[in-house]
Amino acid sequence: MINAGGASVPPVGFERVALTRIHWHKKTKDAKGQQKLKRRAMLNLAAHSFSTVGYKQTSMDDIAAALAVTKPALYYYAKNKEDILMQCARISLERVELCFTSAQEVQGNGLDRIRVFFRVYANMVVSEFGSALMREARRNLTGENQKNLRQTLIDGQNFLESIIAEGIKDGSIRDCDSKRLAHVLFSAFNQMPIWYNPKGPLNPESIADEMLELIIHGVGAKNT
């Protein structure tokens, strides 16, 4: 873990098996495999730090020290710290693709698809990569990186709107503004990294179910 004071140690449980297979300071026959492991080790550690300490509070020196390598060694895998953040964001966005796929595979109505989508999405968004995406990438990426991320998020918004439209058409969702409902749903779930407690009594799927019930049925008592 990289703390605010600058001391750097790997987070507890951090890719223990993978780390034992990495040879940072010597050549191996499996060069491509080593590159993949090293890049992922760097990204895992960076995502942990970005999600717990913050992007601006994490330096390339911190990441290098936590991996016990020199800072120049990191530039083989990333151009700069923002490039590391963008690579972390890509991993999160690949996991969002799983949300889309899961929803598309549901044999049910539009509301059923929304439930499945956000059960998978909740798991993604509270992961360290998900938190790095929602809390850090959206506000710290710049230029072309920001443009690409924004377009991907727009594509996700459009996808959810299409599911909502299906639900309105099949009668599982009442007639409403699909864009506004998509905004409400994403806004609610994207806040999860701020308050979710992994040691709490509910897992992400259960929380997703509870949140959707509140949104679907409202907060008013049945007899009001």
Side-chain angles (χ1 to χ4, degrees), residues 97-145:
E97 287 290 330
L98 177 61
C99 302
F100 298 154
T101 302
S102 299
Q104 288 173 325
E105 292 177 347
V106 172
Q107 298 297 316
N109 58 36
L111 186 55
D112 292 330
R113 292 177 184 239
I114 285 178
R115 291 183 194 278
V116 170
F117 179 92
F118 280 106
R119 285 182 118 246
V120 182
Y121 190 80
N123 266 306
M124 183 284 297
V125 83
V126 300
S127 70
E128 290 181 339
F129 280 98
S131 180
L133 170 65
M134 296 303 166
R135 300 180 64 180
E136 302 299 328
R138 294 200 303 173
R139 62 186 177 184
N140 288 301
L141 290 176
T142 62
E144 199 65 23
N145 285 335

Side-chain angles (χ1 to χ4, degrees), residues 14-69:
F14 169 69
E15 294 290 318
R16 292 185 184 278
V17 175
L19 283 176
T20 61
R21 294 164 51 199
I22 294 177
H23 304 283
W24 289 99
H25 307 296
K26 64 180 181 179
K27 293 183 178 180
T28 64
K29 293 181 179 179
D30 184 21
K32 289 185 178 180
Q34 282 292 305
Q35 289 175 14
K36 184 176 180 180
L37 283 173
K38 290 174 183 178
R39 182 185 302 277
R40 190 52 186 256
M42 176 189 73
L43 295 179
N44 282 359
L45 192 138
H48 174 82
S49 186
F50 294 160
S51 64
T52 56
V53 179
Y55 173 75
K56 291 183 178 179
Q57 289 72 32
T58 301
S59 69
M60 292 288 279
D61 286 321
D62 290 329
I63 297 171
L67 292 171
V69 299

